[in-house]
Amino acid sequence: MAHPTQLGFQDAASPVMEELLHFHDHALMIVFLISTLVLYIIVAMVSTKLTNKYILDSQEIEIVWTVLPAVILVLIALPSLRILYLMDEINDPHLTIKAMGHQWYWSYEYTDYEDLGFDSYMIPTQDLTAGQFRLLETDHRMVVPMESPIRILVSAEDVLHSWAVPSLGVKMDAVPGRLNQTAFIASRPGVFYGQCSEICGANHSFMPIVVEAVPLEHFESWSSMMLEDA
């Protein structure tokens, strides 16, 4: 999860987020190169009194500074489109979970099971135990098996919400009366935190999302226990 003074992204916990991080670094390097070139040209033009007549009127230079930006845009657009299509791919999910946004909590329904669902409320600050994170912990975590394709169906019961977990590279709007879907694969075990990312009222800041990725055997034990308690 994020920590104070952090400048970069959270560590990737899914293949899609790893691709997004690589694309970010790729685009940032291009921005650095362009910024350095522009800064050098500005400093050179301000600090010298010499004038080159070939720069003032040159067909070749005009061709270069027209074609080069187009090439740079293509170098950014192609990997961007590739990741965009990767994020929309949902191939044979092993598990489907419906996430419903409410004011101001989330409810989860494991649709592959007959009666497995629960509400997920933020734990108040005064009830936190040692090691838990303020405004991020919930009384029920969404538990998923690691290294398995998970499909998330996202909707809302009242107003607009947004189901977002940065380290998994997932962000999907929850719209009343509409069922949106997204997918992810947790590539390692762990607990991943997110929050509602659409301003949804007075307690918008108090409806966190906690995804816990565990090995398949542990997930089966957890689901059996939840079904027995239901």
Side-chain angles (χ1 to χ4, degrees):
M1 62 172 292
H3 57 79
T5 72
Q6 178 174 329
L7 297 179
F9 289 99
Q10 298 181 29
D11 292 338
S14 72
V16 168
M17 190 59 194
E18 289 179 8
E19 293 287 345
L20 289 170
L21 290 179
H22 292 154
F23 174 69
H24 170 265
D25 296 342
H26 166 74
L28 201 61
M29 185 54 64
I30 293 175
V31 170
F32 281 153
L33 292 175
I34 294 173
S35 302
T36 303
L37 177 62
V38 171
L39 181 63
Y40 168 75
I41 293 173
I42 292 173
V43 171
M45 293 187 69
V46 169
S47 61
T48 182
K49 296 180 180 179
L50 300 177
T51 302
N52 189 326
K53 65 178 183 179
Y54 294 109
I55 293 180
L56 296 177
D57 185 19
S58 172
Q59 190 72 35
E60 291 78 13
I61 289 179
E62 289 185 7
I63 292 173
V64 169
W65 71 38
T66 301
V67 173
L68 192 59
V71 173
I72 292 173
L73 288 175
V74 170
L75 290 176
I76 294 175
L78 290 180
S80 174
L81 288 172
R82 173 178 168 271
I83 296 174
L84 200 60
Y85 279 100
L86 278 176
M87 294 176 71
D88 277 341
E89 285 291 323
I90 301 177
N91 293 322
D92 190 24
H94 295 177
L95 183 67
T96 299
I97 303 172
K98 185 166 72 174
M100 289 287 292
H102 308 264
Q103 289 184 310
W104 287 272
Y105 64 96
W106 293 96
S107 61
Y108 299 102
E109 180 183 336
Y110 289 68
T111 58
D112 299 285
Y113 294 84
E114 188 173 341
D115 188 23
L116 179 51
F118 49 84
D119 296 331
S120 180
Y121 291 88
M122 186 194 76
I123 299 177
T125 303
Q126 62 270 20
D127 297 335
L128 291 174
T129 58
Q132 289 186 321
F133 299 105
R134 176 178 170 271
L135 301 183
L136 287 177
E137 294 289 352
T138 59
D139 56 355
H140 290 93
R141 293 173 173 175
M142 190 187 91
V143 180
V144 298
M146 58 176 283
E147 296 180 340
S148 297
I150 310 298
R151 174 171 55 188
I152 305 294
L153 304 176
V154 184
S155 187
E157 195 174 66
D158 34 48
V159 298
L160 290 175
H161 299 280
S162 185
W163 199 85
V165 183
S167 55
L168 294 174
V170 177
K171 185 177 186 293
M172 182 56 66
D173 286 345
V175 183
R178 180 187 177 116
L179 203 60
N180 293 328
Q181 71 173 355
T182 185
F184 67 87
I185 300 174
S187 53
R188 56 186 170 85
V191 180
F192 311 110
Y193 296 90
Q195 290 178 300
C196 176
S197 297
E198 189 75 51
I199 296 177
C200 56
N203 291 333
H204 160 67
S205 303
F206 307 114
M207 47 183 303
I209 300 158
V210 184
V211 178
E212 182 175 358
V214 298
L216 181 59
E217 315 85 66
H218 295 182
F219 173 77
E220 290 174 342
S221 301
W222 172 84
S223 60
S224 299
M225 182 187 67
M226 292 293 290
L227 288 169
E228 289 174 2
D229 293 342

